[in-house]
């Protein structure tokens, strides 16, 4: 299968559509433009990296793979003869067939300190009319400089001319901490600071230093976590800096690390740097996987480079690592860039041998095609797509029908528009076309997912919560947490009641917090109490909040709310059961435990969290009387917790009485758990405890 012909067959003029060019007013000039555009697409795909495609050919005629040859070139201890032999092997095996394959070999030679081979390959590129990539220019220049050949380095610079090279990631300045006593934050709490898009460099430098000094940057997973948060905060220089730091500290880099770094550059509109990272992977023995090509395609898609996005999709198909998500990313790249013809071509190929096996002409593919035609003003094609969906028994949803209705409305086809809207009403869908399309384009975005999650996908699982999120975006002030809290309370009063800790409970919660508390919450819901605590901790001078939510849809909405409120750097949302997260040990030491999920399992989750409670920990349990947590009450009574019961009214429900229980663990348990991590004075403890034990014994006549 040749990857220049993987995708393309134009269905716009295919009889399968039941229409001919004349039906859509396509002139000969228009047909010529389409053919020229398709030809440019073939050229773009043919320019994709042969170095990456060569990974599919694991051996050459001599039985040696490209990766083996590049490994020899990178090896500093290899002799010049061995390096030259490896370069010759690349030529004989057909691995030097384009710009990127030559560039990978030049970069590898530079790392192996073989300036002679690097310059030989460099000159060879120029002789056959290939212009080296920015990374090849940089590698050739550095190789000559390290070899003491300044004249050759100057010649490389002159050949490059005025073209600005892609700079290497600079090691950003680290601002030392000013105080001798520092609060130890968890890795997660620190990494989330990189999510803050407008964070000053001083804060990010301080964060990086706290991660290092706290021992949080010692293995691959820790760096990957930091990189993911840099991606979300659009801090691509920090992503590249941390990637370089891994290499300098000999921390293993893997394909996941590079995937996240590629995504970080793409999200920050630095798609060229994403491609440079992708090109460098074969030279360091990292084989791209399906997520690599998805990240690269998404990076190109976000920057309107739809031809390049499709080229990577074709490469992934040739390597048999493409999947349905890859295909959808390619279609969205075309649709977003206005390439509606290419979008329809991909729709036609879906489900055929030209697409990944799991791809079919489903609602997702048709929805993207309808969106592309709507944006291009092709209302007849939208109607043809709807008719084809009916013939193939693909049920159109509200978004698909809204795209067709909007296209007809833009084309002044009022009668058809009204017919589609009537169909939406008949199916009991939201018939407000503008609102449906707005919701389809509105999404929540966070580091834990590769691409934003549309609200339309969340609405069936969390309709009230999605409505709340839209209400917040319409009425609250972005970045103003107090404004968001107030708007949530207004929604609960004016639209639909929410079970949140408002009014009296909010006041008690704020009064219970202490400076620098490390808060863990079981039961996030929409993030209301998390924001209340984050706001109060700001006023007190600092602290962190980690909240667990078992419902994934609610967690997505909460993350969107927290991001809109500007507290995503202070609040982490974990999806899953609270006891499971406790078992991982990733929640860290807990100073303040908020129980606000299911009262029937409060006692189980408290028992699981006890080893993580600090010496002065507080447990704040809501809804103990309504709906009720009797086993929890029995547990803390038997275990000897110091208990306070606060009788309060439920939020916006003066007819409902409830209890909030604030309790402290007994000193016996506290010192027992503490002894697992540090030295304790058991003799002094026994001296204090012995009289209490004997008094208890005499009281019971034992």
């Amino acid at each position: 299968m040749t990857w220049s012909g993987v995708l393309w067959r134009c269905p716009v003029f295919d009889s399968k559509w039941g229409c001919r060019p004349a039906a859509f007013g396509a002139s000969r000039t228009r047909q010529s433009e389409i053919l020229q555009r398709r030809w440019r697409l073939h050229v773009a795909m043919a320019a994709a990296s042969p170095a990456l495609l060569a990974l599919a050919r694991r051996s050459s005629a001599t039985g040696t793979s490209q990766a083996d040859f590049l490994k020899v070139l990178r090896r500093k201890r290899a002799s010049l003869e061995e390096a030259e032999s490896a370069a010759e092997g690349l030529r004989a095996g057909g691995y030097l067939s384009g710009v990127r394959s030559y560039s990978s070999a030049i970069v590898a030679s530079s790392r192996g300190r073989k300036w002679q081979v690097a310059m030989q390959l460099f000159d060879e590129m120029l002789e056959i009319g290939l212009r080296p990539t920015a990374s090849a220019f940089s590698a050739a220049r550095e190789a000559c400089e390290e070899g003491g050949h300044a004249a050759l380095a100057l010649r490389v610079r002159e050949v490059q001319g005025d073209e600005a090279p892609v700079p290497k990631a600079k090691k950003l300045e680290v601002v030392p901490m000013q105080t001798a006593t520092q609060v130890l934050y968890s890795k997660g709490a620190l990494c989330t600071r990189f999510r803050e898009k407008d964070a000053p460099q001083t804060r990010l430098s301080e964060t990086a230093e706290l991660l290092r000094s706290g021992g949080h940057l010692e293995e691959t997973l820790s760096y990957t976590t930091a990189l993911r948060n840099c991606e979300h905060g659009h801090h691509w220089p920090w992503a590249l800096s941390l990637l370089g730091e891994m290499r300098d500290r000999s921390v293993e880099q893997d394909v996941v690390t590079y995937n996240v770094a590629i995504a970080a550059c793409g999200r920050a509109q630095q798609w060229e740097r994403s491609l440079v990272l992708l090109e460098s992977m074969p030279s360091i023995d990292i084989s791209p996987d399906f997520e690599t090509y998805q990240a690269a395609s998404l990076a190109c898609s976000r920057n309107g480079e739809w031809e390049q996005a499709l080229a990577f999709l074709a490469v992934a198909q040739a390597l048999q690592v493409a999947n349905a998500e890859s295909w959808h990313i390619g279609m969205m790249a075309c649709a977003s860039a206005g390439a509606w013809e290419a979008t329809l071509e991909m729709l036609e190929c879906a489900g055929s041998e030209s697409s990944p096996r799991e791809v079919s002409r489903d609602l997702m593919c048709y929805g993207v095609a309808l969106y592309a035609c709507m944006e291009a003003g092709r209302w007849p094609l939208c109607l043809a797509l709807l008719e084809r969906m009916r013939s193939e028994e693909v049920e159109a949803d509200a978004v698909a029908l809204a795209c067709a209705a909007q296209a007809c409305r833009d084309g002044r086809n009022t009668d058809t528009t009204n017919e589609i809207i009537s169909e939406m009403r008949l199916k009991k869908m939201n018939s407000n076309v503008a609102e449906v399309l707005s919701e389809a384009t509105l999404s929540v975005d966070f580091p834990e997912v590769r691409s934003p999650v549309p609200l339309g996908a969340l609405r069936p699982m969390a309709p009230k919560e999605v409505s709340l999120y839209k209400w917040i975006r319409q009425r609250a002030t972005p970045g103003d947490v107090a404004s968001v809290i107030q708007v949530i309370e207004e929604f609960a009063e004016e639209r639909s009641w929410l079970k949140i800790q408002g009014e009296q409970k909010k006041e008690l919660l704020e009064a219970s917090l202490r400076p620098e508390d490390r808060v863990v919450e079981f039961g996030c819901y929409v993030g209301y109490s998390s924001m209340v605590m984050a706001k109060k901790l700001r006023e007190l001078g600092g602290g962190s909040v980690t909240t667990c939510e078992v419902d994934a849809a609610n967690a997505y909405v909460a993350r969107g709310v927290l991001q809109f409120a500007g507290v995503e750097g202070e609040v982490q949302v974990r999806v899953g059961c609270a006891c499971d997260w406790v078992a991982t040990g990733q929640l860290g030491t807990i100073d303040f435990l908020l129980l606000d999920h299911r009262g029937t399992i409060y006692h189980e989750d408290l028992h699981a969290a006890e080893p993580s409670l600090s010496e002065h920990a507080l447990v704040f349990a809501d809804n103990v009387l309504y709906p009720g947590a009797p086993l929890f009450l029995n547990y803390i009574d038997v275990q000897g917790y110091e208990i306070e019961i606060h009788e309060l009214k439920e939020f916006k429900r003066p007819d409902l009485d409830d209890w909030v229980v604030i309790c402290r663990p007994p000193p016996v348990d506290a010192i027992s758990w503490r002894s697992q991590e540090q030295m304790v004075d058991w003799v002094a403890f026994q001296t204090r405890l012995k009289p209490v034990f004997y008094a208890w014994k005499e009281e019971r006549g034992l």
Side-chain angles (χ1 to χ4, degrees), residues 125-395:
M125 287 188 73
L126 298 179
E127 289 175 6
I128 62 177
L130 297 177
R131 180 168 180 79
T133 63
S135 58
F137 274 118
S138 178
R141 187 174 62 251
E142 291 177 0
C144 294
E145 290 173 350
E146 291 182 2
H149 297 275
L152 288 176
L154 180 61
R155 181 166 73 85
V156 173
R157 192 180 297 274
E158 290 173 351
V159 172
Q160 188 174 13
D162 297 331
E163 179 183 313
V166 177
K168 288 190 172 181
K170 296 181 180 179
K171 292 186 177 180
L172 304 179
E173 179 183 0
V174 176
V175 179
M177 297 294 292
Q178 302 296 323
T179 58
T181 59
Q182 303 174 5
V183 176
L184 297 180
Y185 294 96
S186 69
K187 177 178 66 178
L190 290 170
C191 284
T192 51
R193 294 185 181 182
F194 284 115
R195 300 188 192 185
E196 303 170 16
K197 293 182 176 62
D198 299 324
Q201 290 300 316
T202 52
R203 177 172 173 81
L204 298 180
S205 298
E206 177 188 67
T207 299
E209 181 58 27
L210 284 171
L211 284 168
R212 297 187 192 99
S213 61
H216 298 310
L217 291 180
E218 300 296 336
E219 75 285 335
T220 305
L221 180 60
S222 298
Y223 274 100
T224 303
T225 302
L227 284 166
R228 285 194 187 279
N229 286 274
C230 290
E231 173 197 352
H232 185 75
H234 295 192
H235 299 301
W236 65 267
W238 275 99
L240 296 183
S241 178
L242 291 171
L243 192 66
E245 183 178 310
M246 293 180 69
R247 182 179 61 251
D248 296 341
R249 298 181 63 187
S250 299
V251 178
E252 181 183 1
Q253 296 173 324
D254 58 16
V255 65
V256 177
T257 308
Y258 265 82
N259 291 349
V260 176
I262 289 170
C265 293
R267 191 184 288 262
Q269 310 298 315
Q270 300 291 327
W271 69 275
E272 299 96 335
R273 287 180 167 82
S274 294
L275 303 194
V276 170
L277 289 172
L278 177 57
E279 291 168 7
S280 67
M281 291 177 70
S283 63
I284 54 175
D285 281 341
I286 297 179
S287 298
D289 60 8
F290 75 97
E291 290 194 4
T292 310
Y293 295 108
Q294 286 184 4
S297 296
L298 195 56
C300 297
S301 173
R302 282 173 166 156
N303 292 271
E305 299 292 333
W306 66 273
E307 295 101 330
Q308 190 65 59
L310 294 187
F312 285 121
L313 172 59
V315 174
Q317 281 189 254
L319 299 176
Q320 297 182 350
V321 295
N323 58 17
E325 187 176 358
S326 309
W327 193 266
H328 295 153
I329 289 173
M331 290 190 69
M332 279 304 304
C334 299
S336 301
W340 61 271
E341 303 100 323
T343 308
L344 293 181
E345 290 176 17
M346 293 189 70
L347 175 66
E348 181 65 20
C349 292
S352 69
E353 295 181 355
S354 299
S355 68
R357 182 176 303 175
E358 61 268 33
V359 174
S360 63
R361 283 195 292 269
D362 56 8
L363 179 59
M364 180 67 179
C365 288
Y366 273 112
V368 176
L370 282 163
Y371 170 79
C373 294
M374 178 194 72
E375 289 292 309
R378 305 282 169 169
W379 64 267
L381 280 177
C382 287
L383 298 182
L385 286 169
L386 283 182
E387 188 61 33
R388 189 174 185 185
M389 290 176 70
R390 294 187 182 99
S391 66
E392 295 183 0
E393 297 183 352
V394 178
E395 185 69 24

Side-chain angles (χ1 to χ4, degrees), residues 401-475:
L401 293 172
C403 286
Q406 186 63 45
C408 293
R409 180 178 291 170
D410 294 340
R412 299 183 179 180
N413 189 341
T414 306
D415 292 340
T416 307
T417 302
N418 293 335
E419 289 178 9
I420 296 174
I421 293 176
S422 298
E423 181 180 349
M424 296 173 70
R425 290 171 178 162
L426 185 63
K427 294 181 177 180
K428 297 182 179 180
M429 298 176 179
N430 183 359
S431 59
N432 188 325
V433 173
E435 184 175 326
V436 172
L437 293 178
S438 174
E439 183 175 304
T441 56
L442 193 61
S443 60
V444 291
D445 194 9
F446 36 86
E448 291 75 8
V449 297
R450 186 180 299 107
S451 57
V453 179
L455 284 188
L458 297 177
R459 176 173 286 279
M461 297 174 284
K464 180 166 68 174
E465 291 73 21
V466 167
S467 298
L468 169 65
Y469 181 62
K470 292 173 59 181
W471 178 280
I472 291 171
R473 291 183 63 90
Q474 293 168 359
R475 290 165 173 77

Side-chain angles (χ1 to χ4, degrees), residues 513-691:
L513 293 171
R514 299 156 298 185
E516 304 296 348
D517 264 346
R518 292 161 291 188
V519 178
V520 171
E521 177 187 26
F522 294 165
C524 175
Y525 190 37
V526 294
Y528 176 87
S529 54
S530 299
M531 288 186 292
V532 169
M533 293 186 289
K535 176 177 176 291
K536 184 61 178 180
L537 288 172
R538 282 181 180 178
E539 299 171 359
L540 295 174
S544 64
V545 179
T546 301
T547 178
C548 301
E549 174 57 48
V550 71
D551 188 302
N554 287 343
Y556 288 170
V557 173
R559 281 169 168 154
V561 172
L562 295 169
Q563 179 182 346
F564 187 86
V567 295
E568 72 272 22
E570 298 147 86
V571 181
Q572 302 175 68
V573 181
R574 305 294 195 194
V575 182
C577 295
C579 58
D580 293 338
W581 276 109
V582 169
T584 66
Q586 298 183 38
L587 299 183
T589 302
I590 302 173
D591 297 318
F592 189 94
L593 177 63
L594 173 58
L595 302 177
D596 190 22
H597 51 319
R598 289 176 55 195
T600 54
I601 59 172
Y602 277 5
H603 61 292
E604 296 177 0
D605 290 341
L606 173 59
H607 179 69
E610 281 177 337
S612 301
L613 297 179
S614 67
E615 183 177 358
H616 304 291
L618 286 180
V619 178
F620 188 104
D622 190 16
N623 304 317
V624 176
L625 180 62
Y626 177 81
L631 295 179
F632 166 75
L633 281 175
N634 179 72
Y635 179 83
I636 59 176
D637 182 39
V638 171
Q639 295 296 323
Y641 276 68
E642 182 182 332
I643 302 171
E644 299 176 9
I645 296 180
H646 299 263
E647 299 182 16
L648 304 173
K649 296 293 184 180
E650 186 61 75
F651 173 65
K652 299 297 181 184
R653 295 292 301 273
D655 57 316
L656 291 180
D657 296 326
D658 194 11
W659 287 359
V660 170
V661 172
I662 301 177
C663 56
R664 297 168 178 79
V668 176
D669 283 350
I671 194 171
S672 298
W673 293 124
R674 195 163 68 251
S675 68
Q676 298 181 12
E677 300 179 357
Q678 64 189 62
M679 297 293 295
V680 297
D681 188 348
W682 285 109
V683 174
F685 176 72
Q686 187 186 47
T687 302
R688 298 195 309 272
L689 193 63
K690 186 188 293 186

